[in-house]
Amino acid sequence: MFKILKEKLSKLTKSLAEKLEKPKIVEREEVVEREIKEEGIVKKVAKKVVKKIVERKLSEEDLESILREVEVDLIDADVAYDVVKKIKSDLKASLVGKEVKRGKEREVVISSLKKTLLDILAVPEIDLEEIIEKAKEAKGYATFIFFGINGVGKSLNLTKVGYYLKNKGYRVLLAAGDTFRPCGIEQLEKYAEKIGVPIIKGRRGEDACSIIFDSRKSAEARGYDVILADTSGRMHVEKGLMDELAKIVRVNKPDLKILVLDGISGSDVVPQFEFFNKTVGIDAILFSKMDINEKGGNVFSVCYLFKKPILFLGVGQDYTDLVEYKPEKFVNSLLE
Ligand SMILES: Nc1nc2c(ncn2[C@@H]2O[C@H](COP(=O)(O)OP(=O)(O)O)[C@@H](O)[C@H]2O)c(=O)[nH]1
Ligand SMILES: [Mg+2]
C-alpha cells in the first residue's frame, strides 16, 4: 500500500537529513579584545580575526536543490501541485536556519514533514454515530446516500459500511438505487444477503429517487436506524445523471452524502469531486481500493483542496475490508 509515495517521502527525508549531517565549514569574522601593558598602563586592543567554524544549519539554497527534485517525485505520486508547494514552503519555514543536534537530523526532518502532512490533512471531522443518533431523534432513521462514477466501488463499499454499522448494533437497510447498470440491483441484493441486512429494490430502469423514498417509508414503518442508498454512476459529465442525482437529494434529504473515490484513479479524483459536489453537495469521502493504491498522493490533494472529511478507506474486495480513516495513522504508515 502506498509503496511509491512512501519511497518518495523516504528519499526526501534522507536527502534532507544527509544535508543536515554534512558539516559545513564557514568562515566568520570575530572581534577579539586583548589587554596589553604599555608604559605601565593597561590598554585594550581589539583585533579582527577570521575564525573557521563548523555549521550544521540548512540554508535556503540547500533546501531548494533538494526540493526541486522532490517536486517531480511528489507529482508522480499523485500529489497535486498546490499541495507540493505547501509542503515545500512549510519545510523551508521549519528547517532553514534551524540548529540541529548531532544525531537528531532524521528525527527533526521527519517531525517537520509529519507536521506539514498532518496540516494538509486537517479538515473538519464528523462523527458517523452522532449523525445517526441526531437523525434518529429527529425522524427515526438516518439516510446516507453514496455517489461516485461507475466502478469506483460504491456498491461494495456501501455494503462494507453496512456491515460495520450492523456490528455497531444499528439496524441497517440497503436501498438499490443503481437502477441503470445491468445487474446493479442483483449485485446489491447479493451483498445484502452476505451481510444479512434487508434491501429495498425496484426494477431496472425504475426511478432511483422513488426507490430511496420507499426505503425511507420502510425504515419509518419497521424501525430501521440507517438507510444506505446506492446510486448509479455512469459518466460523471452526463447531464441526465446530474438531474437525476440532484432530484434524489432534493426529494430524500439525506443526512450524509458520501462520495466514493477510487484511490487508483490518480488526479482524476479532483474533477470527480468537483462534479459531484456541484451537483449534490458532498459531505464526506470514502476512498476505495487503497489496498492496490501504490501512490496515495491524491488523498492529500482532496483534503487540501476540498476540506471534506474522509470517513473510511476501502482496503480489499471482502465486506470486512474497510478501515476507519485516521490522518495520524495514515501519515505514520507513510513515514515508517
Ligand atoms: N481491491 C479492491 N477492490 C475493490 C475495492 N472496492 C471495490 N472494489 C472492486 O471494484 C469493482 C467495482 O466495485 P463496485 O462496488 O461494483 O463499484 P460501483 O460501480 O461504484 O458500484 C469490483 O470488482 C469491486 O470488487 C477495494 O477497496 N479494494
Ligand atoms: Mg454499483
Side-chain angles (χ1 to χ4, degrees):
M1 231 185 272
F2 319 126
K3 188 169 153 266
I4 293 173
L5 184 58
K6 271 188 198 171
E7 275 169 15
K8 309 285 186 195
L9 291 174
S10 154
K11 180 176 157 195
L12 170 63
T13 46
K14 193 163 167 257
S15 320
L16 289 170
E18 271 171 6
K19 202 70 163 186
L20 272 171
E21 276 161 20
K22 220 180 274 167
K24 263 183 301 185
I25 311 292
V26 290
E27 293 190 343
R28 194 179 283 165
E29 238 180 37
E30 276 185 21
V31 179
V32 178
E33 276 191 353
R34 206 156 45 94
E35 285 183 352
I36 54 162
K37 224 176 193 178
E38 237 172 53
E39 294 158 12
I41 304 162
V42 179
K43 278 187 182 172
K44 275 190 179 173
V45 286
K47 199 176 142 194
K48 273 189 187 168
V49 289
V50 175
K51 276 193 170 176
K52 286 190 173 169
I53 57 160
V54 176
E55 217 179 49
R56 274 172 216 286
K57 285 187 205 162
L58 274 186
S59 69
E60 186 146 358
E61 299 80 68
D62 289 336
L63 205 64
E64 273 296 346
S65 68
I66 295 172
L67 291 181
R68 216 170 297 128
E69 205 179 308
V70 167
E71 187 171 301
V72 182
D73 279 354
L74 291 179
I75 288 171
D76 271 354
D78 291 342
V79 181
Y81 185 61
D82 281 352
V83 183
V84 176
K85 270 199 319 206
K86 152 109 181 130
I87 295 174
K88 279 173 65 175
S89 74
D90 280 3
L91 286 178
K92 261 190 210 166
S94 62
L95 292 176
V96 168
K98 191 180 167 83
E99 294 265 11
V100 179
K101 275 204 189 121
R102 256 195 125 139
K104 296 276 176 200
E105 295 87 355
R106 212 181 117 76
E107 207 175 292
V108 166
V109 169
I110 289 202
S111 108
S112 300
L113 188 57
K114 187 172 169 180
K115 190 178 172 308
T116 175
L117 295 179
L118 283 173
D119 252 20
I120 292 163
L121 297 178
V123 299
E125 285 181 25
I126 53 169
D127 183 333
L128 213 55
E129 294 189 51
E130 202 179 298
I131 294 172
I132 298 174
E133 293 307 329
K134 271 198 184 146
K136 278 184 62 169
E137 254 171 54
K139 56 182 194 290
Y141 62 89
T143 313
F144 295 173
I145 305 185
F146 290 71
F147 299 95
I149 66 167
N150 248 348
V152 288
K154 283 182 300 301
S155 307
L156 179 61
N157 287 285
L158 169 161
T159 309
K160 296 178 190 175
V161 174
Y163 184 67
Y164 166 92
L165 290 173
K166 186 187 169 194
N167 283 341
K168 294 231 171 226
Y170 292 107
R171 297 190 66 210
V172 176
L173 176 67
L174 304 192
D178 183 0
T179 54
F180 182 79
R181 196 181 200 177
C183 301
I185 301 165
E186 291 78 1
Q187 180 199 23
L188 199 68
E189 219 176 350
K190 268 194 207 142
Y191 286 166
E193 202 177 303
K194 256 192 174 171
I195 63 163
V197 304
I199 183 169
I200 297 294
K201 54 169 189 161
R203 254 173 278 124
R204 183 157 181 236
E206 216 178 308
D207 184 12
C209 185
S210 70
I211 288 158
I212 299 173
F213 188 80
D214 286 350
S215 71
R216 290 170 55 212
K217 292 286 142 224
S218 181
E220 213 171 72
R222 298 193 207 142
Y224 292 110
D225 301 313
V226 197
I227 298 163
L228 302 177
D230 201 3
T231 58
S232 73
R234 279 175 268 173
M235 286 307 295
H236 60 284
V237 285
E238 205 179 295
K239 170 86 170 76
L241 174 67
M242 219 161 116
D243 294 342
E244 181 184 311
L245 297 180
K247 184 177 152 205
I248 285 176
V249 167
R250 210 168 47 242
V251 172
N252 291 295
K253 301 179 183 59
D255 301 287
L256 204 58
K257 290 160 283 178
I258 300 170
L259 179 65
V260 179
L261 292 172
D262 178 341
I264 56 172
S265 58
S267 50
D268 266 6
V269 295
V270 171
Q272 282 175 28
F273 181 96
E274 282 166 343
F275 166 79
F276 283 97
N277 196 39
K278 187 178 74 189
T279 310
V280 294
I282 292 302
D283 303 309
I285 294 161
L286 188 155
F287 255 102
S288 68
K289 308 190 195 178
M290 289 313 225
D291 52 313
I292 46 173
N293 183 357
E294 296 294 7
K295 297 186 170 180
N298 52 10
V299 175
F300 291 96
S301 311
V302 166
C303 282
Y304 189 66
L305 297 174
F306 307 121
K307 309 271 180 247
K308 291 290 175 192
I310 298 173
L311 290 173
F312 297 102
L313 305 179
V315 290
Q317 290 189 289
D318 206 343
Y319 56 84
T320 51
D321 293 330
L322 185 77
V323 293
E324 283 177 45
Y325 162 82
K326 300 272 180 244
E328 179 104 20
K329 218 169 137 191
F330 178 61
V331 168
N332 285 343
S333 77
L334 294 174
L335 298 177
E336 68 195 7

